[in-house]
Amino acid sequence: MSEAELKLFLHRREAVADGVALLDLRAPGGGTLPPWEPGAHVDLVLGGGLVRQYSLCGDPADRDRYLVAVLREPAGRGGSAYVHDRMAPGQAVPVRGPRNHFPLVPAERYLFLAGGIGITPLVPMLAAVTERGAPWRLVYGGRTRRSMAFLPELVDRYGDRVVVCPQDETGLLDLEAELGVPRPGTAVYCCGPEPLLAAAERVCAAAGWPPDALRVERFAPRPDAGAPRTAFDVELAATGRTLRVPADRSILDVLGEAGVAVMSSCEEGTCGTCETAVLAGEPDHRDSVLSERERASGRTLMICVSRARGDRLVLDL
């Protein structure tokens, strides 16, 4: 079962960096949109059945529009090409969400690490922590200055709290310098391409940062999502019904074939729509949403990609 959709339209499209388009989405005839908080994202339902997740990068207090920024990805799966080449003002754009699996948590201070288009969820976070009066620092990397969305505005607004690191000028972000020594009371937020996220996780683990000090957001399947798969049983607690999940099928697939309606969207472990409570059994997490602490708790899993470590799971369905 798909999540309910908002019927929005593209009011305006604007280039905000080389290869980056800002979309201004509004309700037909005006109207107030559902609330959201920094870190939230929406799904855009594009042509040909494409569904893609994009972080909201506007002002949460502005309930008249949703702003998302889309990077053209020549090696992508068609979503960004559709946005850049085919979307035009006035076009209807079904939207699902907002959802937030990258929330801004209270902390004494913040370190933000952005790589390229990964700046988008951090933009409203910077405004929020500034309003709170919390100290923070942003280290922002990209291929070139011209490719870095919102760069002039961020520098003008926040000054030297923004450390600008274009790769053609300074090389890759020096994560050892930023993360090599744990800083008590610091929440670290990192968003960008997979190599950046994996490197940040690796450096934080090696340096001994506290669990969940580092928070990352992925919009692509985790590298471990393709690990070996085995068959297992799923028991539905509401009815006691047991279904067999073969090695080559997902829990979501099997539930759908059995007529069990569950909300879903991306079907690759990135959006969080199909998160389901686990009552018994040990999940084999393969999503890109849950934190390490949430994974360790075993309380929920994303049934579109995650599996069982044992022979059986009991789900709150």
Side-chain angles (χ1 to χ4, degrees), residues 54-281:
Y54 298 108
S55 297
L56 291 168
C57 57
D59 179 359
D62 183 354
R63 300 282 300 280
D64 294 334
R65 76 199 73 204
Y66 288 156
L67 298 179
V68 300
V70 180
L71 171 68
R72 179 189 286 276
E73 300 186 78
R77 296 168 297 160
S80 68
Y82 180 90
V83 168
H84 281 261
D85 297 337
R86 300 179 60 184
M87 287 185 66
Q91 179 174 335
V93 184
V95 173
R96 299 172 186 164
R99 294 184 297 274
N100 198 345
H101 294 282
F102 194 46
L104 183 62
V105 299
E108 294 177 23
R109 65 189 63 84
Y110 297 86
L111 172 62
F112 298 99
L113 304 172
I117 199 64
I119 190 63
T120 53
L122 305 185
V123 170
M125 291 187 182
L126 301 180
V129 297
T130 300
E131 185 174 352
R132 294 178 190 177
W136 61 267
R137 183 166 175 264
L138 167 66
V139 182
Y140 183 9
R143 292 181 293 102
T144 67
R145 290 178 183 268
R146 290 176 58 86
S147 72
M148 298 167 69
F150 311 118
L151 181 58
E153 300 95 317
L154 292 173
V155 172
D156 287 346
R157 184 173 182 181
Y158 300 119
D160 59 8
R161 283 184 286 184
V162 179
V163 180
V164 183
C165 302
Q167 188 175 344
D168 63 341
E169 299 176 21
T170 64
L172 298 175
L173 297 186
D174 187 350
L175 296 182
E176 290 289 348
E178 299 298 335
L179 302 172
V181 177
R183 303 171 205 168
T186 300
V188 182
Y189 281 80
C190 183
C191 190
E194 178 58 34
L196 172 64
L197 304 184
E201 290 172 333
R202 184 171 60 252
V203 174
C204 281
W209 282 78
D212 282 359
L214 172 67
R215 296 171 180 269
V216 304
E217 182 166 51
R218 287 179 165 92
F219 284 130
R222 291 178 67 103
D224 60 0
R229 297 149 60 106
T230 58
F232 58 95
D233 289 330
V234 167
E235 179 182 332
L236 310 183
T239 61
R241 185 180 182 185
T242 296
L243 301 172
R244 187 68 172 172
V245 181
D248 62 345
R249 306 300 302 280
S250 70
I251 301 173
L252 183 64
D253 289 338
V254 171
L255 292 176
E257 290 179 354
V260 181
V262 180
M263 288 288 191
S264 66
S265 183
C266 73
E267 300 188 13
E268 60 181 13
T270 61
C271 74
T273 305
C274 67
E275 184 172 5
T276 301
V278 178
L279 303 181

